Amino acid sequence: MRDHFEIRDGDLAGRIGRLEVPRAGVTVETPALLPVVNPNIITIPPERLESEFGAEILITNSYIIKKNDHLREEALDVGLHEMLDFHGAIMTDSGSFQLAEYGEIDTTTEEILQFQHDIGTDIATPVDIPTPPDVAREQAEEELEVTKQAIADAEAADTGEMLVNGPVQGSTYPDLREEAGRHAAASDLDVFPVGAVVPMMNAYRYADMVDAVAAAKRGLGVDAPVHLFGAGHPMMLALAVALGCDLFDSAAYALYARDGRYLTVRGTEHLEDLEYFPCTCPICTEYSPDDLRETQGDEQEQLLAEHNLHVTFAELRRIKQAIRDGDLMELVEERARSHPAMLDGYRTLLDHVDQLEREDPASKGAFFYVSNESAFRPEVARHHDRMDRLTAEGDVLLTEGGTPSNDEFDAVWRVVPPFGPFPRALSETYPLTAEVPERLDRDAYEQAARGVARLAEENPDASLTLAHNDWPASALELVPDSVDTESLTAVTERLAEEAMADGSPVEPDSDTER
């Protein structure tokens, strides 16, 4: 484990952690939002970010400060903390954004790290190249080598107690992202930003963003604190946290306010289109949309920015509680329904279920099946893996319901979509106590059928009979021919007739739950 980062709780790949920032003398609880403070245009004073919004950390741009004579002299004279009037941790960017935007900057990693150290930065950034999506692979590889050199230069610098970012680039090539993550994690740097994802998010390419972050995480490993650079819209925070991101910087609260845009967890609204505020933050309880439209210029911008920050910090608190409660996936699912592109991102998250399963806690409070995507959650994959450890012997009935107690089978296992079969003794263990709707979808039955097929493959000498409640044909097609399939009603009636024929009393089994 990295000495300065401690994971305290987790759900999926998301976690609540403690990031120690020694130069600032503070510990930041993650997931954390870093409001972006433009040193030239301060929309909300940093002191208020700390006292009113609870910001423990913020980010500003050291390159902008370095290039402005007045700001440079003040920062070198009194230090960033006094200049910004902020007592928490301060991260600074290096000018890499300007490099990506304008093609060149007149500083090096060695120079900008020294400047960041001199002005009192707590977490510094080298000069890497944020390679945009969809570039030619050759360009992505060449620019990744430049970023690797920046990491090497940062390792060689004398930074004292100042933490240093190890950027992870690689464009939209998952193998390059994984390679970049592995290279950064092998360094002695401290925080690991996944860069150049803003163009994906601006284009609503959440599926591509998920693939990029998942690949970077595979390289970085579990113990690395991960910063998703430029990600601060509340709509996508739950998804990003579920992937294992810990830090988020947001200029959106101010930039969107300047454009009259109002953030919600379901997307972005234009102030001019709102008749009601769907929020109970201090701004939305004091002002109506008409009131806010009547304000002008800087006042309206500041009030909108305050709302945007309130809703973003509130979402992070909601996410932390979801991690504590073990229902982060339910929150991700809820947010995914806000936009088709978010749903794409959620479904792509489930493509990485094996990766999520390795970090997801084995036991939680409840499993709620709320959509067909629930059939592909980590808990289902883990259940199928666990069944490989158990042995089915002789004649085994796999049933969704009860059977007579004097049946002809050597064992009776339960079957619960989407999980599939399991011994009755496990009925009260997580996640087999799942809450599922009466009207299940096809994916739930098909996943259960895959569980039956896996049990049959692992136990070729057992004789299996599946008693089902009208499973769809697509699910029954997944059940191997070696497994007998009958409707639950037919099995129960047949066993009852056989019992009556030999004079045995028929007593219904007590296990009649689905």
Side-chain angles (χ1 to χ4, degrees):
M1 297 292 288
R2 294 182 182 271
D3 293 339
H4 59 282
F5 184 61
E6 179 186 6
I7 298 171
R8 306 298 295 272
D9 206 345
D11 190 22
L12 300 173
R15 59 270 189 104
I16 295 175
R18 290 167 53 87
L19 177 65
E20 294 182 7
V21 187
R23 199 175 193 201
V26 301
T27 298
V28 176
E29 183 180 79
T30 64
L33 178 74
L34 291 73
V36 175
V37 174
N38 184 332
N40 287 311
I41 310 171
I42 294 182
T43 306
I44 300 175
E47 185 280 327
R48 289 190 60 206
L49 295 175
E50 185 174 9
S51 62
E52 295 181 29
F53 297 88
E56 297 179 324
I57 183 171
L58 58 77
I59 184 170
T60 190
N61 193 306
S62 66
Y63 184 73
I64 290 176
I65 295 171
K66 186 172 185 286
K67 298 301 293 180
N68 181 292
D69 291 342
H70 171 72
L71 292 174
R72 181 179 66 253
E73 291 176 8
E74 183 179 5
L76 288 170
D77 182 32
V78 302
L80 271 183
H81 286 271
E82 184 172 337
M83 184 177 93
L84 296 178
D85 191 16
F86 187 76
H87 299 96
I90 299 177
M91 179 185 292
T92 50
D93 200 359
S94 61
S96 294
F97 174 77
Q98 284 74 18
L99 177 64
E101 287 290 304
Y102 307 119
E104 59 180 313
I105 56 174
D106 59 349
T107 192
T108 65
T109 285
E110 295 92 335
E111 292 169 347
I112 200 67
L113 283 181
Q114 185 61 54
F115 180 72
Q116 289 174 90
H117 186 272
D118 291 346
I119 64 176
T121 292
D122 301 309
I123 307 175
T125 308
V127 180
D128 63 314
I129 299 184
T131 307
D134 308 318
V135 301
R137 184 180 180 90
E138 182 179 4
Q139 177 183 340
E141 291 174 337
E142 291 175 353
E143 294 182 350
L144 181 54
E145 290 305 311
V146 175
T147 294
K148 288 180 178 180
Q149 184 59 52
I151 289 174
D153 293 341
E155 283 190 282
D158 182 8
T159 56
E161 287 191 320
M162 183 174 70
L163 301 182
V164 180
N165 286 321
V168 180
Q169 300 293 347
S171 186
T172 36
Y173 297 96
D175 62 319
L176 294 185
R177 287 283 185 178
E178 184 171 347
E179 175 192 337
R182 190 172 296 109
H183 180 270
S187 74
D188 61 5
L189 302 188
D190 308 289
V191 179
F192 302 93
V194 179
V197 295
V198 172
M200 301 181 208
M201 291 184 289
N202 287 345
Y204 287 82
R205 294 172 57 178
Y206 290 107
D208 291 333
M209 183 272 288
V210 168
D211 281 337
V213 174
K217 286 283 295 183
R218 287 194 296 274
L220 287 168
V222 174
D223 66 339
V226 177
H227 180 176
L228 191 58
F229 249 139
H233 196 298
M235 179 175 69
M236 53 73 62
L237 289 177
L239 178 65
V241 170
L243 275 165
C245 297
D246 307 291
L247 301 170
F248 307 90
D249 64 280
S250 174
Y253 76 97
L255 296 176
Y256 282 31
R258 203 166 299 150
D259 194 32
R261 290 186 285 176
Y262 174 100
L263 298 184
T264 79
V265 295
R266 297 185 58 82
T268 306
E269 304 286 349
H270 287 272
L271 178 61
E272 62 189 31
D273 297 330
L274 290 172
E275 293 187 39
Y276 306 95
F277 282 148
C279 175
T280 57
C281 79
I283 303 304
C284 295
T285 52
E286 183 175 349
Y287 297 87
S288 70
D290 284 338
D291 295 334
L292 212 53
R293 280 190 287 268
E294 289 175 3
T295 63
Q296 297 296 321
D298 291 346
E299 182 183 6
Q300 182 185 102
E301 180 182 326
Q302 180 169 319
L303 292 172
L304 271 177
E306 289 181 25
H307 157 77
N308 291 343
L309 270 181
H310 277 300
V311 73
T312 307
F313 275 106
E315 179 69 356
L316 273 182
R317 292 192 294 272
R318 189 176 294 113
I319 290 167
K320 290 178 182 179
Q321 189 60 48
I323 293 173
R324 292 282 194 210
D325 293 342
D327 56 13
L328 179 57
M329 186 64 93
E330 281 80 2
L331 181 59
V332 174
E333 166 105 28
E334 182 180 338
R335 296 294 178 254
R337 263 55 198 179
S338 64
H339 192 282
M342 285 296 301
L343 185 56
D344 284 337
Y346 174 45
R347 289 172 173 168
T348 305
L349 175 75
L350 294 173
D351 289 343
H352 301 283
V353 64
D354 291 340
Q355 184 174 334
L356 296 175
E357 192 275 330
R358 288 193 289 271
E359 297 184 46
D360 192 44
S363 182
K364 307 179 191 179
F367 179 110
F368 288 91
Y369 192 101
V370 293
S371 76
N372 66 301
E373 286 87 13
S374 299
F376 304 98
R377 286 177 50 165
E379 294 93 335
V380 178
R382 180 185 296 125
H383 173 74
H384 288 175
D385 289 341
R386 285 180 169 180
M387 287 303 98
D388 290 349
R389 306 174 195 170
L390 302 181
T391 301
E393 297 179 327
D395 294 328
V396 181
L397 175 66
L398 313 176
T399 177
E400 284 191 274
T403 63
S405 58
N406 59 339
D407 58 58
E408 64 183 47
F409 296 96
D410 298 309
V412 178
W413 288 26
R414 293 187 63 197
V415 176
V416 172
F419 303 101
F422 55 89
R424 294 187 193 187
L426 299 180
S427 294
E428 298 305 315
T429 62
Y430 181 87
L432 303 174
T433 53
E435 295 286 342
V436 300
E438 288 295 326
R439 300 178 64 178
L440 278 169
D441 52 74
R442 183 176 300 172
D443 285 320
Y445 292 113
E446 290 176 2
Q447 282 290 70
R450 291 184 182 99
V452 172
R454 191 159 170 174
L455 182 69
E457 180 181 357
E458 294 294 322
N459 298 271
D461 295 331
S463 177
L464 304 180
T465 299
L466 171 64
H468 60 88
N469 278 316
D470 299 322
W471 283 15
S474 62
L476 294 176
E477 289 173 359
L478 297 172
V479 178
D481 293 338
S482 61
V483 177
D484 293 329
T485 59
E486 301 184 52
S487 75
L488 183 60
T489 301
V491 170
T492 304
E493 289 177 352
R494 176 173 58 79
L495 292 174
E497 290 172 359
E498 292 175 357
M500 291 178 65
D502 65 14
S504 301
V506 178
E507 297 180 4
D509 187 270
S510 61
D511 183 9
T512 58
E513 300 175 38
R514 288 191 58 191

